[in-house]
């Protein structure tokens, strides 16, 4: 709690043990017009604009029951305060999983992951939270519990609150309960790595991966310490532009075939062979690839989203801005996470946004947001969420409907103020 | 008649889109009084065909100036009355906005106008190694804009998801006439997932004028199987077994004896007429894994009591099996002069129970019911057979339909898996959702459509809709 | 706000409905079996198969819409006004909707009699009651002799190169639009060929005895193809009879709503072709073939069984040869071609694979699939002479698809399509031969090189 108080202007913390208590707490806050900060595992408190107004924290980790797990239906209904690790263990007992990669899963809660729309390497092949949430309950800014979707995998009745709340940073409703569609754990999983020599080669290799016969579940391009500090990757052959890592999943036959196919393809292209990350090193590397954005020591961590074919250009620009930065690109999806080096840029952190990060992302038809880091609090609001678009006006209207007194995570999201 | 009440509006609309872009004579409006759902009808007062986003925006602004309701329409294949102009007004028909604007294979997306016919995009992509995955059975006619509005599914949703999983962004004209882009070619734009919210909003929040849709790699191969069962229970158990074994088929469809008889009569596919149910199961993906998956499915089916499992050995045989599935509804016309179908969903494991209940409800109401449906998703399409000239039968069919849907709700399911609420299922919304849920939906509608002029009386019973009494189920093709 | 009005249950018959229609005039839906309307469940799956809907996006110009209009008129809900009439006239009768329909709606059995009745019910407004129909379409086309005479000046001009010159300098624009279209459609003049003999014997062992339908327009404009057809049949072991007394199939009249003259022609053909005497009556023009196959149900009453008897024997030449088993054609034809599905072959007769299979047996010939192959080219019998604007749009659409294949020639099995596509190719300045599949087979049997 010490840590919480240091990061949010808190008057009080309430930890409801039942959804009903959550409702009562928000209703009281509504009556008193007190801002409310929903807290799951507290892993994303640096994400978004800093909270300015004093309010109460609603600590949700007490809401962690399994409500219903009809495993043969491949759906699960749980309370939103459940940690990702516990969810994963529950599912694993039935040979199932939620194939969304989340950093710090021992602390991160399902509700928080949905609210922040967290994802990782497997998003290329498996999608993101929006593809798995099929039912949702939340408490709006008036303290009214409402739900959308249901418990079946196919359902078009009513507006899709699952999509509305995914990525809403808890600003429209505090997520209290979730039904997920889950998937079988694949029988085999493998990671392969290869060096990249030069940006052009990197660009060509990405195109080859995107159109090749093998269908990786993850395509990662690592630059700087992201690979050179990694025990599983540092020993591989030399490469001037980092490492490509691909994740393969499926049946044993499928994964074997894809590995052979990738090597055959690379041989045909005259590229250095893929090296397979063996045994225990593979799960550990998956873990590090997943945890990458959560590194607490970096001064600044940003995430850019661009059209996938623009990934290489964006990586080049990042190298110019900070030659020592550590970068992980989910290259198949055009999602690039950059941890800046301890050396501050010559023009200062604030200026790298308008002078480099933002225009380059715009060129790639995307945008850039701040995920966290020490200097986050010093940055002006436009740097955190990027340049407002006309769409934001409509988001603000939605916000006004669901939280008329602007109590939920006030001031932290994209809305017009 | 708005054409009479507002001759000025008609003239202004003509100024926007030209004379050949406006229909205002009653004789030309009558075909727009219903879509694929024909129980309720109402003619629009004006039909207008925009060709550009700016046209749509101008039309919407004119409707607001004249305080006239308006709604979008694509190909009019909705099975729930999604295109029914309940209060009359201006119908904005998007079939002239039918350009495929951009295709980016490396970035896996295409940009299309809303009037593009679903299958035209996949035809355009033929040979590229990519396709557009959502494939409702009406894909030869329905538009991608309509798919967007209703979050359309199809037989392959089990593995590939529904429309919302394939929409990256949308340019839309909002109820006030402003043009806004939500999302776009990249993933994860900051802010709310409004493309995700607009998909499936049945035209009540915005009118899509341009869509960024995800393209999917073609699978390397297919294995298609037909499993024959002597009992419906065995067939539904086999479905659960396959899913529980960790196999995600590309499609898993079931047909019962009633539909088999009709299909056999119509097309002579060689189905065993004494079988109680057959499953059409398809897996796709890398060749390297397909034979093993196929063999495993065969074994699971046999263990569940399948009498025989046939394999489609050639592409032609595969096509033949799919033709049988996709023609099933057409063939029903041979069993009965009229039919109506429902679109309920239950958890897969409730299928055995649900099918028994459907049979029981049918026999109690003396209504013959046959089944052909997306079993892998638990998405039922019970087809109730009747003769519309017999009023007593009609009444019984309505009662039986209602009981079936109530049972779906009781099983923890939904009243619509892919057809939408439209006007048809408005009355079920309060049974499926609490008043607070509906109020929240209403608030979302108000955020986008505060005056309620855009698609009034749709989807939400709270949207001012009069309760619509269904008096006569018509026969209907369902998909 | 309107109340939603529930749809009245249709318990009435067309005859009852007819009584509600405008007084003084017969309801055009009156003679139609009302059950045929009820087959349509209004699902809309036909819409995008319809060329006019593809072009206009107006539901009134779609099959579902037209059925709805016809039914509304039949029910007496709607007057048969100018707009309704216009939407029904614009139908190409290509029957692509029947292919798309999952419920088996027999659209042709609705639109054709309805249009016939529509023409008859309002003489003053009849589309066929103008100089073009009276003089050119009905007066000349079905009569090879008159047609040949009428074409003589144009043929002469063509031979002298005057037509192309006139086209270039825009002189033809002085002609009425529909005559312009007709002149533009003239295929390039070829060497005049003699009329076919009454009988051509099988070559090799005899496998079948067939009669050949030579058509009216076809015999004048396509006599070389008729010769080719006869030769290919001979090559495949068929005795070929060519009955002298045969007449136009009647399609031009029937589809334009003039049923009586068509019936006369049908009965003349029943007399001319002794159906019992042959294994098949062979047709090489899809439009005529589909009309002949429909003889059995167009006119109930006197002579119906005889007409049905003839209809049962009618085969398209590709369909027949494919069933018979084609004798391998020996000659190589080095050519990249694409095949356009004639509506009256693909949709009306459901013959799609047979011509492709036959062509695939010609050594050297590469057949490339044509995008939207089953969308009408706009010819649609005489549609391109009466609905010039829509026909032109569809021709341009077809040509864009043809160009996309990169093919050097187009193959299609209907006279109208051949003329229409060739005209559009000339209009676009393309040197693109358009041939009948039988022309290619004939060349291969005769080991002739590909040159046009």
């Amino acid at each position: 709690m010490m840590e919480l108080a240091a990061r949010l202007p808190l008057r009080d913390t309430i930890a409801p043990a039942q959804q009903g208590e959550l409702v009562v707490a928000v209703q009281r806050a509504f009556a008193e017009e007190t801002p409310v900060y929903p807290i799951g595992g507290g892993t994303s408190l640096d994400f978004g604009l800093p909270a300015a107004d004093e309010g109460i924290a609603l600590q949700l980790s007490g809401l962690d029951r399994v409500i219903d797990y009809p495993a043969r239906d491949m759906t699960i209904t749980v309370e939103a305060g459940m940690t990702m690790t516990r969810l994963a263990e529950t599912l694993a007992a039935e040979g199932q999983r939620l194939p969304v990669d989340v950093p710090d899963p021992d602390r991160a809660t399902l509700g928080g992951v949905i609210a922040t729309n967290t994802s990782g390497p497997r998003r290329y092949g498996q999608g993101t939270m929006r593809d798995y949430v099929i039912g949702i309950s939340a408490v709006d800014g008036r303290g009214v519990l409402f739900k959308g979707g249901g418990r079946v995998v196919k359902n078009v009745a009513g507006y899709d609150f699952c999509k509305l709340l995914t990525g809403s940073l808890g600003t429209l409703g505090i997520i209290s309960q979730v039904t997920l569609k889950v998937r079988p754990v694949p029988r085999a999983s493998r990671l392969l790595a290869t060096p990249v020599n030069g940006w052009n080669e990197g660009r060509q290799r990405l195109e080859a991966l995107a159109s090749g016969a093998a269908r990786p579940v993850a395509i990662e391009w690592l630059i700087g310490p992201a690979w050179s500090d990694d025990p599983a990757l540092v020993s591989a052959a030399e490469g001037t532009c980092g490492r490509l890592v691909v994740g393969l999943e499926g049946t044993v036959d499928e994964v074997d075939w894809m590995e052979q196919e990738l090597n055959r393809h690379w041989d045909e292209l005259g590229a250095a062979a893929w090296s397979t990350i063996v045994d225990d090193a593979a799960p550990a590397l998956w873990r590090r690839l997943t945890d990458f954005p959560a590194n607490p020591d970096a001064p600044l961590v940003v995430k850019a989203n661009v059209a996938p074919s623009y990934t290489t250009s964006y990586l080049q620009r990042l190298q110019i801005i900070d030659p020592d930065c550590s970068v992980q690109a989910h290259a198949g999806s055009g999602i690039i996470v950059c941890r800046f080096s301890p050396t501050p840029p010559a023009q200062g952190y604030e200026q790298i946004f308008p002078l480099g990060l933002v225009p380059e992302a715009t060129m790639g038809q995307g945008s850039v947001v701040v995920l966290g880091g020490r200097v986050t609090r010093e940055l002006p609001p436009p740097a955190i969420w990027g340049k407002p678009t006309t769409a934001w006006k409509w988001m603000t209207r939605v916000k006004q409907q669901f939280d008329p007194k602007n109590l939920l995570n006030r001031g932290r999201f994209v809305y017009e103020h | 008649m708005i054409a009479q009440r507002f001759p000025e509006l008609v003239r202004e609309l003509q100024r926007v889109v030209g004379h050949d872009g406006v229909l205002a004579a009653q004789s030309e409006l009558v075909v727009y009084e219903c879509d694929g759902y024909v129980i309720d009808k109402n003619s629009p007062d004006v039909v207008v065909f925009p060709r550009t986003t700016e046209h749509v925006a101008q039309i919407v602004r004119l409707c607001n100036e004249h305080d006239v309701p308006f709604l979008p329409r694509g190909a009019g294949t909705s099975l729930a009355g999604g295109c029914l102009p309940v209060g009359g007004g201006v119908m904005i028909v998007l079939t002239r906005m039918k350009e495929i604007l951009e295709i980016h294979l490396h970035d896996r997306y295409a940009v299309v106008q809303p009037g593009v016919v679903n299958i035209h995009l996949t035809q355009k992509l033929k040979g590229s190694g990519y396709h557009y995955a959502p494939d409702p059975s009406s894909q030869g006619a329905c538009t991608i804009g309509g798919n967007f509005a209703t979050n359309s599914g199809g037989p392959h949703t089990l593995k590939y998801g529904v429309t919302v999983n394939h929409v990256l962004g949308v340019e839309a004209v909002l109820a006030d006439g402003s043009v806004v882009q939500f999302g776009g070619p990249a993933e994860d734009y900051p802010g709310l997932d409004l493309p995700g919210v607009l998909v499936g909003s049945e035209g009540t929040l915005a009118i899509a004028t341009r869509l960024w849709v995800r393209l999917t790699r073609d699978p390397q191969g297919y294995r298609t199987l037909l499993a024959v069962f002597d009992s419906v229970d065995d067939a539904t158990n086999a479905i659960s077994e396959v899913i529980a074994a960790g196999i995600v088929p590309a499609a898993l469809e079931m047909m019962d004896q009633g539909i088999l008889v009709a299909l056999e009569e119509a097309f002579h596919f060689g189905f065993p007429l004494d079988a109680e149910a057959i499953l059409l199961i398809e897996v796709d993906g890398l060749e390297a894994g397909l034979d093993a998956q196929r063999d495993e499915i065969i074994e699971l089916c046999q263990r569940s009591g399948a009498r025989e499992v046939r394999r489609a050995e050639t592409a032609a045989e595969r096509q033949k099996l799919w033709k049988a599935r996709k023609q099933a509804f057409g063939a029903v016309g041979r069993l009965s002069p009229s039919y109506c179908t429902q679109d309920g969903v239950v958890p897969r494991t409730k299928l055995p129970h649900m099918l028994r209940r459907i049979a029981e409800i049918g026999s109690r109401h003396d209504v013959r019911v046959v089944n052909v449906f997306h079993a892998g998703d638990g998405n039922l399409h019970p087809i109730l057979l009747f003769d519309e000239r017999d009023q007593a039968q009609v009444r019984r069919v309505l009662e039986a339909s209602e009981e079936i849907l109530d049972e779906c709700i009781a099983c923890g399911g939904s009243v619509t898996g892919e057809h939408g609420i439209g006007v048809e299922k408005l009355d079920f919304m309060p049974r499926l959702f609490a008043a607070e849920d509906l109020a929240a939906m209403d608030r979302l509608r108000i955020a986008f459509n505060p005056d309620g002029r855009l698609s009034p009386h749709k989807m939400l019973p709270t949207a001012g809709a009069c309760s619509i009494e269904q008096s006569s189920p018509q026969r209907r093709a369902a998909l | 706000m309107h109340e939603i009005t529930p749809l009245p249950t249709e318990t009435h018959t067309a005859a009852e409905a007819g009584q509600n229609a405008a007084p003084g005039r017969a309801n055009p839906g009156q003679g139609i079996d009302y059950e045929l309307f009820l087959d349509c469940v209004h699902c809309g799956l036909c819409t995008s198969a319809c060329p006019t809907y593809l072009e206009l996006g107006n539901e009134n110009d779609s099959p579902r819409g037209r059925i709805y209009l016809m039914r509304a008129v039949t029910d007496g809900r709607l007057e048969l006004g100018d707009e309704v009439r216009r939407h029904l006239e614009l139908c190409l009768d290509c029957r692509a909707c029947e292919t798309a329909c999952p419920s088996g709606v027999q659209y042709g059995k609705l639109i054709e009699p309805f249009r016939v009745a529509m023409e008859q019910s309002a003489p003053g407004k009849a589309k066929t009651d103008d100089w073009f129909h009276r003089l050119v379409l009905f007066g000349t086309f079905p009569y090879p002799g008159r047609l040949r005479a009428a074409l003589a000046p144009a043929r002469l001009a063509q031979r002298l190169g005057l037509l192309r010159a006139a086209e270039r300098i825009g002189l033809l624009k002085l002609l009425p639009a529909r005559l312009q279209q007709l002149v533009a459609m003239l295929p390039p003049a070829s060497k005049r060929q003699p009329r076919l003999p009454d009988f051509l014997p099988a070559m090799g062992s005899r496998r079948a005895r067939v009669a050949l339908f030579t058509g009216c327009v076809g015999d004048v404009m396509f006599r070389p193809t008729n010769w080719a057809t006869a030769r290919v049949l001979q090559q495949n072991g068929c005795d070929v009879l060519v009955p002298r007394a045969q007449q136009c199939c009647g399609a031009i009249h029937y589809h334009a709503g003039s049923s009586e003259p068509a019936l006369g022609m049908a009965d003349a053909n029943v007399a001319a072709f002794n159906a019992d005497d042959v294994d098949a009556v062979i047709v090489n023009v899809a439009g005529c073939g589909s009309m002949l196959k429909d003889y059995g149900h167009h006119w109930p009453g006197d002579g119906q069984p005889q007409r049905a008897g003839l209809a049962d024997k009618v085969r398209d030449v590709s369909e027949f040869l494919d069933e018979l088993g084609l004798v391998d054609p020996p000659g190589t034809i080095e050519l990249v071609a694409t095949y356009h599905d004639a509506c009256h072959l693909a949709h009306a007769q459901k013959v799609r694979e047979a011509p492709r299979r036959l062509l695939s047996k010609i050594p050297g010939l590469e057949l490339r699939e044509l995008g939207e192959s089953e969308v009408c080219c706009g010819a649609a019998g005489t549609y391109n002479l009466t609905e010039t604007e829509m026909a032109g749009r569809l021709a341009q659409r077809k040509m864009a698809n043809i160009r996309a294949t990169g093919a050097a020639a187009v193959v299609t099995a209907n006279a109208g399509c051949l003329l229409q596509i060739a005209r559009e190719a000339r209009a676009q300045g393309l040197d693109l031969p358009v041939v009948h599949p039988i022309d290619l087979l004939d060349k291969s049997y005769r080991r002739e090189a590909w040159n046009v």
Side-chain angles (χ1 to χ4, degrees), chain C residues 132-133 136-137 141 177-183 185 378-388 391 420:
Chain C
F132 188 72
H133 280 82
V136 181
L137 283 189
F141 264 43
R178 290 184 291 186
L179 264 193
Q180 276 181 44
Q181 189 88 357
L182 183 56
V183 172
M185 296 250 304
T382 57
Y383 186 93
N384 51 359
L385 301 177
T386 56
E387 299 288 350
T388 51
Q420 171 85 344

Side-chain angles (χ1 to χ4, degrees), chain B residues 203-328:
Chain B
T204 62
L205 301 182
I207 300 174
T209 50
R210 181 190 290 245
L211 294 153
W212 284 259
V213 295
R214 171 65 77 218
L215 303 178
T216 302
R217 296 285 304 280
D218 293 343
Q220 214 177 44
Y222 306 90
R223 297 291 183 276
T224 310
L225 300 167
L226 185 82
V228 181
F229 293 86
D230 288 328
S231 98
V232 172
D233 272 11
D234 289 349
T236 46
N237 283 332
I239 296 164
S240 292
E241 291 297 327
V242 169
I243 303 282
I247 299 168
V248 182
L252 209 175
E253 305 280 304
M254 179 168 152
M255 295 183 260
D256 74 2
Q257 190 180 30
I259 205 87
L260 287 178
V261 169
L263 276 170
E264 201 48 37
E265 196 177 301
F267 302 110
H268 314 291
F269 285 111
F271 293 135
L273 294 179
D274 57 337
E276 272 215 356
I278 61 170
L279 296 179
L280 176 59
I281 308 169
E282 183 164 284
V283 285
D284 69 12
L286 295 174
E287 280 291 345
L290 288 175
D291 284 343
Q293 282 189 61
R294 178 199 58 202
D295 294 345
E296 199 176 341
I297 292 170
I298 292 174
E299 203 202 313
L300 289 167
C301 286
Q302 282 166 346
R303 222 190 294 155
S304 302
R307 178 207 298 180
E308 81 172 288
V309 183
R310 299 182 191 174
R311 305 173 188 183
E313 301 286 357
T314 62
E317 282 178 30
R318 171 175 180 257
Q319 271 168 14
K320 195 173 161 189
L321 286 176
W322 275 110
K323 185 182 171 201
R325 166 61 186 91
K326 293 206 170 180
Q327 300 270 16

Side-chain angles (χ1 to χ4, degrees), chain A residues 233-247:
Chain A
L233 298 174
V234 68
S235 59
E238 283 303 307
T240 56
C241 287
R243 294 281 182 276
L244 275 179
V245 178
V246 297

Side-chain angles (χ1 to χ4, degrees), chain A residues 321-409:
Chain A
I321 296 170
D322 180 356
D324 299 319
C325 67
S326 183
V327 183
Q328 174 190 35
H330 307 314
S333 311
I335 303 293
I336 298 148
V337 177
C338 176
R339 298 197 314 227
F340 284 83
S341 69
T343 318
Q347 66 270 55
Y349 285 107
E350 186 179 334
Q351 287 305 310
I352 60 174
F353 286 88
L355 295 179
L357 296 176
V358 174
E360 196 66 37
T362 307
M363 288 288 289
Q365 304 189 75
S367 54
V368 60
V369 299
V370 173
L371 288 184
R374 260 188 299 107
V375 306
T376 308
R377 302 288 166 110
E378 298 152 29
L379 295 171
I384 303 298
W385 288 115
K387 236 168 82 184
T389 68
T390 49
W392 291 18
K393 172 180 145 190
W394 296 90
M395 296 177 192
T396 306
R397 291 199 181 181
V398 175
K399 167 74 170 171
Q400 286 159 353
Q401 287 295 321
F402 283 79
D403 182 17
K405 291 186 181 172
N406 190 15
L407 302 178
L408 304 180
N409 259 340

Side-chain angles (χ1 to χ4, degrees), chain A residues 70-75 94 96 117 119 123-124 128 130-132 140 142 144-161 163-169 171-172 181 183-185 187 203 206-215 251 253-255 257-258 303 305-310 331-335 364-369 385-386 389-399 401-402 413-415, chain B residues 106-109 130 150-151 153-154 157-159 161-162 164-167 174 176 178-182 185-197 199-202 204-205 217-220 237 240-241 243-248 286 288-290 292-293 296 343 345-350 374 376-377 379 412-421 429 432-434 436-437 440-448 450 459-460:
Chain A
R72 288 163 73 89
D73 286 330
M74 306 207 65
T75 64
E94 298 286 347
Q96 296 173 356
N117 191 20
S119 69
R123 63 177 292 149
Y124 179 63
T128 56
R130 84 197 286 273
D131 300 307
Y132 294 94
D140 75 5
R142 269 173 287 230
V144 177
L145 182 73
F146 68 98
K147 66 178 188 299
R151 293 191 187 178
V152 283
V153 296
K154 202 169 165 194
N155 185 2
V156 294
Y159 293 129
D160 195 341
F161 288 152
K163 304 294 178 294
L164 182 67
L165 294 170
T166 301
S168 67
L169 205 71
T171 57
L172 302 178
K181 175 166 89 173
R183 290 268 171 177
V185 174
R187 294 171 202 187
R203 196 189 308 268
L206 286 184
E207 278 179 31
L209 280 172
S211 59
R215 306 285 167 90
T251 64
D253 289 345
E254 285 171 337
V255 170
W257 182 85
M258 284 193 281
K303 177 178 117 174
N305 64 320
V306 293
S309 56
Y310 203 75
S333 311
I335 303 293
Q365 304 189 75
S367 54
V368 60
V369 299
W385 288 115
T389 68
T390 49
W392 291 18
K393 172 180 145 190
W394 296 90
M395 296 177 192
T396 306
R397 291 199 181 181
V398 175
K399 167 74 170 171
Q401 287 295 321
F402 283 79
F413 204 39
V414 301
Y415 307 114
Chain B
H106 180 96
D107 288 335
R108 298 192 294 162
Y109 77 91
Y130 292 78
T150 53
N151 195 13
T157 61
L158 179 56
K159 180 170 179 180
V162 291
V164 73
N165 305 108
H166 301 271
V167 172
L174 298 176
D176 66 351
S178 53
V179 180
V180 186
Q181 181 180 332
F182 302 108
E187 302 178 18
D188 278 13
Y189 288 95
L192 300 176
D193 179 9
L194 292 185
V197 171
V199 174
S201 62
E202 302 195 21
T204 62
L205 301 182
R217 296 285 304 280
D218 293 343
Q220 214 177 44
N237 283 332
S240 292
E241 291 297 327
I243 303 282
I247 299 168
V248 182
L286 295 174
L290 288 175
Q293 282 189 61
E296 199 176 341
D343 180 35
V345 194
V346 295
R348 268 181 296 259
T349 48
K350 295 275 179 22
H374 311 305
D377 295 316
N379 186 187
S414 172
V415 295
T416 177
E418 53 185 11
H419 297 174
I421 296 294
M429 287 294 275
L432 202 54
F433 292 106
E436 293 79 14
D437 310 334
M441 290 183 193
D442 207 32
R443 283 198 288 278
L444 182 63
R445 186 185 61 80
I446 288 167
F448 284 93
M459 195 168 178
L460 291 179

